[in-house]
């Protein structure tokens, strides 16, 4: 841990509050208005028309029957859609030509007075195509693969240090391939929007022309990207998103349905247009975690110290829009290995684009890395916890920078003691009737993803303070913790502070994604509170208001900034059915100052649950003949149920990281999911002696290994 301190003093904050969620009463009573539930007068309802081919051209659209249906207000296709002039995102450029780029692409819509009529009319629209052969499917060493220069999160596509080939010739060598299927976010609230195009004078450029009640992770990015596409100035679009029923990355970037609804609203000025996706539609055009295939080759000395490591990934990317997760980037800084090579490979597909899904890249790559380390530990007979400790770096091996704080070893040690790791037995040695029992461990890490600072405002009115910014609360607790941070910085009781978030027009803030929310927003709130007190003192006048931007401490960029953690899992494997049950999981995390233990635990337990679900159940199947997701609903795409999730616990170590900002907090939203599937897979090996390298860990794979 570094002994340096930033030049900007951290806030003199009062002790952490275990405050209950302030938005909980509204949510449990059903009075919190979500995007589709916003009260508007005489709304119309939209149902999309989607492509049934993966690649080709539309040759004819017959909408006569649909238009003749009573109650139908509009049939929207490329023949009558408004023109797009500025292309901020290729996926948002819809209905501009007869070209089809993937199955499920939006090729039109029906708008009617009721959702029932819109649905019936959409089914009456006949679309004919000139279909072309589509490229779908990929594999390791795919001859079509290329190496992208950059991948998600602005990471380099490839990186190498030392002499990997020579290093792999030393010590004990481990080599294996790993795979993860395409996964889908499936938030409880589907993507939804209510849009109204206002009839205002064209001579007033400041007047709001479009209001969108949208389910998103932050209005700022959505407004900035959508406005040019729709021919608007940023000030002419109002985006409102106060409550969001989950996202996990799927609502962090605007998707084509928003343009579709806005186009419909433009052609029906004054009539609000509502659209809420069906569960099946969420498997088509709003992104997913791309499938991944990885190869790890490593060599390790007899004492467990790594000599060389080669980690490469292959991933599909859409021909329409490139998206490649930074799958192998975490491998570059996790452990002290002198000889290292990491390479991303992408294979172009005629499929819908992927997008961010909780811990994009780190989740995928750390599954392979942490499984390979467990294989290495078994190969040389070193305890898996001890092997990780022995490869702990003193500085970031990739950048050479000191870590702001890095308490991974403390997480591993504390977790081993709390979990009873000392009772772990050799593979296959512990049995309870038909059940084999085993323990597994894996490390977790997630980087600081802040690119630009947020801005916040503090307002005083009617004897109360209000903190204002464009933050988004996806169920993560922003409504609760932002007043806490403001109250501590203002030195007033938290019950005197309210929040106003989730709409454009407020001070700009980064979206709720990449685990940046708490420390980025919190930094801005602290700065605004300090400025407010300097300007207005302890007895402010009615209406007093100040804004300020957060700013990283001087010297921050000289540090490598990450959150860390360790997952421990105990599983039972049935020798009769091949079923895997996770009996208990423990996550121990070092994530800076915890602002609110209650909401933090909720986030971490939620991430662990998501990791468990991916480990045991989640698997999207793309039909490589026709380009559709075969199991595109929650009947076929299984997620963990309540009965699957027992005995989960999360513990946070005391830590304060001033290099993340004035609150000393780090990011936790993604940290809980990274490494969880590897810990479960490693526990399965310890229980059964079977090494599973392909997610999810289903009974058929165990039976195939048992023969």
């Amino acid at each position: 841990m570094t002994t340096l301190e930033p030049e900007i003093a951290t806030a003199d904050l009062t002790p952490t509050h275990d405050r209950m969620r302030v938005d909980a009463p509204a949510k449990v009573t059903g009075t919190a208005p979500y995007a589709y539930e916003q009260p508007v007068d005489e709304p119309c309802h939209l149902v999309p028309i989607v492509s049934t081919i993966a690649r080709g051209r539309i040759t004819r659209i017959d909408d006569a029957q649909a238009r003749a249906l009573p109650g139908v207000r509009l049939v929207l296709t490329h023949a009558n859609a408004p023109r797009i002039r500025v292309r901020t995102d290729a996926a948002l450029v819809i209905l501009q030509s007869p070209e089809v780029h993937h199955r499920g692409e939006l090729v039109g819509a029906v708008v009617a007075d009721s959702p029932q009529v819109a649905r019936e009319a959409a089914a009456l629209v006949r679309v004919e195509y000139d279909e072309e052969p589509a490229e779908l499917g990929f594999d390791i060493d795919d001859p079509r693969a290329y190496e992208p220069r950059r991948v998600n999160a602005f990471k380099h596509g490839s990186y190498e240090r030392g002499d990997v080939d020579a290093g792999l010739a030393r010590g004990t060598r481990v080599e294996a391939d790993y795979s993860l299927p395409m996964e889908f976010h499936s938030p409880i609230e589907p993507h939804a929007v209510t849009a109204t195009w206002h009839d205002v004078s064209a001579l007033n450029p400041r007047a709001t022309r479009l209001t969108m009640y949208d389910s998103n992770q932050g209005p700022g990015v959505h407004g900035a990207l959508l406005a040019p596409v729709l021919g608007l100035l940023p000030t002419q679009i109002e985006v409102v998103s106060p409550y969001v029923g989950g996202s996990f990355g799927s609502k962090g970037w605007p998707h084509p349905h928003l343009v579709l609804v806005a186009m419909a609203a433009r052609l029906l000025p004054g009539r609000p247009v509502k659209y809420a996706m069906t569960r099946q539609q969420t498997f088509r055009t709003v992104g997913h975690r791309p499938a991944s295939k990885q190869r790890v080759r490593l060599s390790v000395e007899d004492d467990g110290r790594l000599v060389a490591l080669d980690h490469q990934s292959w991933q599909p990317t859409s021909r329409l829009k490139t998206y490649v997760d930074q799958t192998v980037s975490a491998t570059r800084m996790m452990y002290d290995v002198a000889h290292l090579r990491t390479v991303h490979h992408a294979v172009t597909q005629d499929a819908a684009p992927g997008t961010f899904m909780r811990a994009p890249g780190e989740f995928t790559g750390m599954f392979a890395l942490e499984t390979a380390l467990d294989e290495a530990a078994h190969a040389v007979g070193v305890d898996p916890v001890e092997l990780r400790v022995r490869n702990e770096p003193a500085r970031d091996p990739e950048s050479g920078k000191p870590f702001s704080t890095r308490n991974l070893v403390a997480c591993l040690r504390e977790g081993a003691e709390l979990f009873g790791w000392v009772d772990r037995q050799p593979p296959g040695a512990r049995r309870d009737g038909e059940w084999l029992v085993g323990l597994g461990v894996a490390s977790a890490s997630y980087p600081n993803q802040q690119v630009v600072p947020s801005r916040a405002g503090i307002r005083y009115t009617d004897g109360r303070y209000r903190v204002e910014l464009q933050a988004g609360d996806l169920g993560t607790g922003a409504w609760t913790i932002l007043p806490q941070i403001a109250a501590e910085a203002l030195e007033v009781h938290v019950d005197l502070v309210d929040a106003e978030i989730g709409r454009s027009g407020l001070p700009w803030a980064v979206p709720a994604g990449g685990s940046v929310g708490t420390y980025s927003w919190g930094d801005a709130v602290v700065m605004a509170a300090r400025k407010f007190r300097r300007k207005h003192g302890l007895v402010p006048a009615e209406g007093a208001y100040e804004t300020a931007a957060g700013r990283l401490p001087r010297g921050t960029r000289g540090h490598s900034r990450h959150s860390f953690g360790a997952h421990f899992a105990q599983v039972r494997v049935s020798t009769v059915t091949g079923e895997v049950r996770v009996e208990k999981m423990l996550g121990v995390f070092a994530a800076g100052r915890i602002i609110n233990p209650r909401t933090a635990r909720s986030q971490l337990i939620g991430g662990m649950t998501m990791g468990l679900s991916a480990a045991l159940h989640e698997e999207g199947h793309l039909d490589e003949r026709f380009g559709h997701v075969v199991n595109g609903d929650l009947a076929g795409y299984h997620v963990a149920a309540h009965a699957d999730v027992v005995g989960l616990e999360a513990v946070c170590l005391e830590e304060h990281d001033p290099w993340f900002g004035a609150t000393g907090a780090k990011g936790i939203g993604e940290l809980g999911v990274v490494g969880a599937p590897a810990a479960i897979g490693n526990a399965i090996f310890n229980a059964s002696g079977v090494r599973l390298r392909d997610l999810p860990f289903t009974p058929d794979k165990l039976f195939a290994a048992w023969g």
Side-chain angles (χ1 to χ4, degrees):
M1 183 182 300
T2 179
T3 58
L4 296 174
E5 290 296 332
E7 292 186 12
I8 297 178
T10 57
D12 182 17
L13 303 177
T14 58
T16 298
H17 295 292
D18 191 17
R19 190 187 191 204
M20 294 187 66
R21 292 176 179 268
V22 299
D23 53 334
K27 289 182 175 179
V28 300
T29 58
T31 57
Y34 290 83
Y36 192 76
E37 301 167 328
Q38 295 289 335
V40 292
D41 295 330
E42 297 186 272
C44 295
H45 299 268
L46 180 145
V47 170
I49 303 165
V50 300
S51 167
T52 57
I53 66 170
R55 186 177 182 182
R57 293 176 59 86
I58 297 170
T59 57
R60 181 171 179 267
I61 298 178
D62 182 358
D63 62 358
Q65 293 185 65
R67 287 187 288 105
L69 203 63
V72 170
R73 299 295 173 182
L74 174 69
V75 177
L76 182 64
T77 70
H78 68 273
N80 63 343
R83 297 295 91 187
I84 290 174
R85 305 301 180 189
V86 180
R87 304 187 174 208
T88 59
D89 183 310
L92 300 180
V93 182
I94 62 170
L95 307 190
Q96 301 300 291
S97 77
E99 297 293 329
V100 173
H101 305 91
H102 62 83
R103 184 158 179 161
E105 184 176 11
L106 301 177
V107 297
V110 172
V111 184
D113 290 337
S114 73
Q116 294 82 6
V117 172
R119 189 178 304 115
E120 181 181 355
L124 294 175
V125 177
R126 299 287 178 259
V127 183
E128 297 176 6
Y129 303 93
D130 180 10
E131 188 172 3
E132 300 174 13
E135 291 190 45
L136 296 162
F138 76 107
D139 210 338
I140 285 180
D141 295 325
D142 197 307
R144 300 167 298 170
Y146 68 95
E147 296 181 17
R149 183 171 176 270
R150 294 277 184 177
V151 295
N152 186 39
F154 310 105
K155 299 291 186 180
H156 291 286
S158 61
Y159 167 84
E160 187 168 353
R161 62 177 180 259
D163 188 338
V164 176
D165 294 329
L168 289 173
R170 293 168 43 196
T172 298
R173 182 161 167 167
V174 173
E175 180 174 344
D177 294 343
Y178 306 85
S179 73
L180 298 89
M182 62 192 310
E183 296 173 357
F184 293 87
H185 308 76
S186 301
I188 192 169
E189 180 203 17
H191 293 68
V193 58
T194 300
T196 302
W197 200 281
H198 306 288
D199 188 9
V200 297
S201 170
L203 299 178
N204 183 2
R206 300 181 63 86
T208 299
R209 279 162 168 71
L210 175 65
T211 296
M212 300 187 80
Y213 295 100
D214 176 38
S215 182
N216 63 53
Q217 294 176 219
V221 168
H222 279 60
L225 290 173
L226 288 170
V229 170
L230 299 170
L232 299 174
L233 298 173
T235 56
Q236 294 175 321
I237 181 171
E238 178 186 31
V239 182
V240 185
S241 185
Y243 297 100
V244 180
S247 174
F248 316 114
S250 67
K251 301 171 184 175
W253 200 260
H255 295 293
H257 71 282
L258 297 177
V259 178
L260 187 71
V261 175
M263 285 179 168
R266 185 168 194 168
L267 296 177
L268 297 168
R271 290 291 302 271
V273 178
K274 286 178 174 279
Y275 171 51
M277 286 192 177
T278 65
R279 187 58 63 182
Q280 291 81 2
Q281 288 165 353
T282 63
F283 283 77
R284 293 173 179 164
T285 59
V286 291
H288 57 276
R289 191 193 304 279
S292 170
K293 298 183 180 182
Q294 302 171 60
R295 175 167 293 155
V296 178
R297 300 185 300 157
L298 64 82
S299 59
V300 58
E301 301 284 12
D302 291 343
D303 62 359
R305 298 185 186 277
L306 292 169
V307 179
L309 176 58
D310 184 343
H311 186 181
Q312 304 196 33
S313 75
W314 284 259
Q315 178 182 309
T317 186
S318 173
R319 191 182 308 278
L320 175 63
K321 173 185 173 182
T322 299
Y323 175 84
V324 180
D325 275 334
Q326 69 279 18
T327 303
V328 300
S329 62
T331 301
R332 301 167 181 171
M333 50 66 60
M334 273 302 295
Y335 298 107
D336 186 12
V337 52
H339 309 289
L340 182 136
R341 178 189 298 127
T342 57
V343 184
H344 295 92
H345 306 270
V347 182
T348 301
Q349 306 277 282
D350 295 303
T355 193
F356 328 113
M357 185 168 174
R358 204 170 200 173
E362 281 76 14
F363 170 84
T364 308
M366 290 282 280
F367 164 66
L369 174 64
E370 291 298 308
T371 305
L373 284 187
D374 198 75
E375 299 197 49
H378 179 72
V380 296
V382 174
D383 179 87
V385 170
E386 186 60 30
L387 182 139
R388 288 167 171 81
V389 172
R390 292 180 186 179
N391 287 284
E392 175 72 3
R395 301 170 75 90
D396 184 327
E398 179 184 10
S399 67
K401 298 176 182 178
F403 289 101
S404 58
T405 53
R406 178 178 167 123
N407 286 308
L408 174 59
V409 171
C411 292
L412 289 164
R413 297 292 195 207
E414 180 75 7
E417 181 177 349
L418 293 173
F419 201 69
W421 185 256
V422 69
D423 297 328
R424 181 175 178 270
Q425 299 180 29
R430 186 175 172 186
R431 185 165 186 147
D432 180 14
E434 72 175 79
W435 297 94
L436 302 171
V437 182
L439 305 183
V441 66
S443 298
S445 177
Y446 199 75
N448 181 301
Q449 297 275 29
Q450 184 174 354
V451 178
V452 293
S454 295
R455 194 171 187 87
I458 300 290
R459 189 182 302 274
Y460 182 78
T461 181
D462 294 329
R464 301 183 61 80
Y465 297 87
R466 187 167 69 231
V467 54
E468 301 176 355
L469 66 164
Q470 290 184 25
D473 192 330
L474 322 179
T476 47
W479 282 108
T480 305
I481 66 170
L482 291 174
Q484 287 182 229
I485 295 170
E488 291 170 341
L490 290 166
E491 297 183 336
V492 299
H493 196 280
V494 69
D495 289 344
L496 293 175
V497 184
D498 303 310
E500 185 174 0
I501 62 175
R503 69 170 177 84
S504 56
L506 298 172
W508 189 90
V510 297
S515 296
V516 306
T518 297
Y519 62 79
S520 176
W521 303 334
D523 200 45
V525 170
V526 170
M527 297 304 171
R530 290 176 177 171
K531 182 179 179 182
F532 185 93
R533 279 289 183 245
R534 287 197 307 269
K535 293 286 189 71
H536 303 285
L538 297 175
V539 187
E542 176 70 15
Y545 180 67
E546 296 295 338
T547 66
R551 59 189 181 96
L552 295 173
R554 187 174 301 169
T556 294
R557 302 197 184 280
H559 292 76
S560 178
R561 295 170 293 154
H562 302 258
S563 299
F564 293 95
H567 291 278
F568 293 81
Q570 179 173 308
V571 306
R572 296 168 72 87
V573 179
S574 172
T575 57
V576 176
T577 66
E579 176 188 3
V580 176
R581 294 183 182 175
V582 177
E583 280 193 303
K584 62 177 182 176
M585 286 186 71
L586 169 67
V588 181
F589 304 101
R593 178 176 182 263
I594 302 301
I595 304 297
N596 186 312
R598 186 188 300 265
T599 56
R601 180 181 182 276
S602 176
Q603 279 291 284
L604 293 167
I605 290 291
M608 294 167 66
T609 300
M610 198 168 180
L612 182 155
S613 186
L616 301 185
H617 303 294
E618 296 187 40
E619 184 174 19
H621 295 279
L622 182 71
D623 190 322
E624 296 179 5
R625 300 169 300 169
F626 307 115
H628 69 291
V629 179
V630 178
N631 56 333
D633 56 37
L634 293 183
Y637 182 85
H638 294 290
V639 296
H642 284 84
D644 297 309
V645 185
V646 295
L648 267 62
E649 191 51 75
V651 175
C652 292
L653 303 183
E654 287 193 19
E655 186 182 68
H656 187 282
D657 195 329
W659 298 104
F660 271 69
T663 64
K666 291 184 177 183
I668 63 172
E670 266 102 344
L671 188 62
V673 73
V674 176
I680 293 170
N682 295 339
I684 292 172
F685 173 77
N686 182 244
S688 65
V690 173
R691 180 67 68 182
L692 299 181
R693 302 184 180 95
D694 306 297
L695 290 181
F697 305 132
T698 48
D700 59 305
K701 293 170 184 172
L702 275 159
F703 279 127
W706 281 331

mmCIF file of all heavy atoms in Angstrom, residues 665-676:
data_model
loop_
_atom_site.group_PDB
_atom_site.id
_atom_site.type_symbol
_atom_site.label_atom_id
_atom_site.label_comp_id
_atom_site.label_asym_id
_atom_site.label_seq_id
_atom_site.Cartn_x
_atom_site.Cartn_y
_atom_site.Cartn_z
ATOM 1 N N ALA A 665 -13.884 6.275 -1.607
ATOM 2 C CA ALA A 665 -14.584 5.075 -2.060
ATOM 3 C C ALA A 665 -14.016 4.591 -3.391
ATOM 4 O O ALA A 665 -13.440 5.359 -4.158
ATOM 5 C CB ALA A 665 -16.069 5.369 -2.209
ATOM 6 N N LYS A 666 -14.190 3.300 -3.647
ATOM 7 C CA LYS A 666 -13.862 2.706 -4.937
ATOM 8 C C LYS A 666 -15.140 2.169 -5.574
ATOM 9 O O LYS A 666 -16.232 2.329 -5.034
ATOM 10 C CB LYS A 666 -12.867 1.555 -4.759
ATOM 11 C CG LYS A 666 -11.466 1.946 -4.330
ATOM 12 C CD LYS A 666 -10.584 0.705 -4.306
ATOM 13 C CE LYS A 666 -9.151 0.995 -3.966
ATOM 14 N NZ LYS A 666 -8.294 -0.203 -4.003
ATOM 15 N N GLY A 667 -14.999 1.504 -6.711
ATOM 16 C CA GLY A 667 -16.147 0.906 -7.372
ATOM 17 C C GLY A 667 -16.416 -0.498 -6.880
ATOM 18 O O GLY A 667 -15.486 -1.277 -6.648
ATOM 19 N N ILE A 668 -17.708 -0.833 -6.706
ATOM 20 C CA ILE A 668 -18.057 -2.187 -6.249
ATOM 21 C C ILE A 668 -19.079 -2.868 -7.149
ATOM 22 O O ILE A 668 -19.273 -4.078 -7.041
ATOM 23 C CB ILE A 668 -18.598 -2.175 -4.809
ATOM 24 C CG1 ILE A 668 -19.906 -1.368 -4.730
ATOM 25 C CG2 ILE A 668 -17.562 -1.630 -3.846
ATOM 26 C CD1 ILE A 668 -20.594 -1.468 -3.395
ATOM 27 N N GLY A 669 -19.773 -2.122 -8.015
ATOM 28 C CA GLY A 669 -20.885 -2.698 -8.761
ATOM 29 C C GLY A 669 -20.501 -3.929 -9.555
ATOM 30 O O GLY A 669 -21.246 -4.902 -9.609
ATOM 31 N N GLU A 670 -19.340 -3.914 -10.188
ATOM 32 C CA GLU A 670 -18.891 -5.051 -10.994
ATOM 33 C C GLU A 670 -18.012 -6.024 -10.224
ATOM 34 O O GLU A 670 -17.862 -7.186 -10.608
ATOM 35 C CB GLU A 670 -18.120 -4.551 -12.220
ATOM 36 C CG GLU A 670 -18.957 -4.386 -13.455
ATOM 37 C CD GLU A 670 -19.323 -2.950 -13.752
ATOM 38 O OE1 GLU A 670 -19.203 -2.100 -12.866
ATOM 39 O OE2 GLU A 670 -19.737 -2.675 -14.879
ATOM 40 N N LEU A 671 -17.418 -5.579 -9.152
ATOM 41 C CA LEU A 671 -16.426 -6.389 -8.446
ATOM 42 C C LEU A 671 -17.012 -7.715 -7.965
ATOM 43 O O LEU A 671 -16.325 -8.739 -7.959
ATOM 44 C CB LEU A 671 -15.880 -5.593 -7.254
ATOM 45 C CG LEU A 671 -14.700 -6.192 -6.499
ATOM 46 C CD1 LEU A 671 -13.483 -6.334 -7.407
ATOM 47 C CD2 LEU A 671 -14.351 -5.321 -5.289
ATOM 48 N N GLY A 672 -18.291 -7.710 -7.567
ATOM 49 C CA GLY A 672 -18.884 -8.912 -7.003
ATOM 50 C C GLY A 672 -19.058 -10.047 -7.981
ATOM 51 O O GLY A 672 -19.146 -11.210 -7.571
ATOM 52 N N VAL A 673 -19.117 -9.755 -9.287
ATOM 53 C CA VAL A 673 -19.344 -10.816 -10.266
ATOM 54 C C VAL A 673 -18.034 -11.387 -10.815
ATOM 55 O O VAL A 673 -17.982 -12.537 -11.243
ATOM 56 C CB VAL A 673 -20.235 -10.299 -11.421
ATOM 57 C CG1 VAL A 673 -19.480 -9.346 -12.326
ATOM 58 C CG2 VAL A 673 -20.836 -11.442 -12.212
ATOM 59 N N VAL A 674 -16.963 -10.588 -10.786
ATOM 60 C CA VAL A 674 -15.691 -11.019 -11.367
ATOM 61 C C VAL A 674 -15.085 -12.136 -10.507
ATOM 62 O O VAL A 674 -14.904 -11.982 -9.303
ATOM 63 C CB VAL A 674 -14.697 -9.842 -11.466
ATOM 64 C CG1 VAL A 674 -13.341 -10.327 -11.987
ATOM 65 C CG2 VAL A 674 -15.253 -8.753 -12.369
ATOM 66 N N GLY A 675 -14.769 -13.246 -11.130
ATOM 67 C CA GLY A 675 -14.140 -14.356 -10.422
ATOM 68 C C GLY A 675 -15.099 -15.367 -9.822
ATOM 69 O O GLY A 675 -14.687 -16.484 -9.490
ATOM 70 N N ALA A 676 -16.379 -15.009 -9.675
ATOM 71 C CA ALA A 676 -17.320 -15.920 -9.026
ATOM 72 C C ALA A 676 -17.472 -17.242 -9.771
ATOM 73 O O ALA A 676 -17.441 -18.317 -9.144
ATOM 74 C CB ALA A 676 -18.669 -15.230 -8.839
#
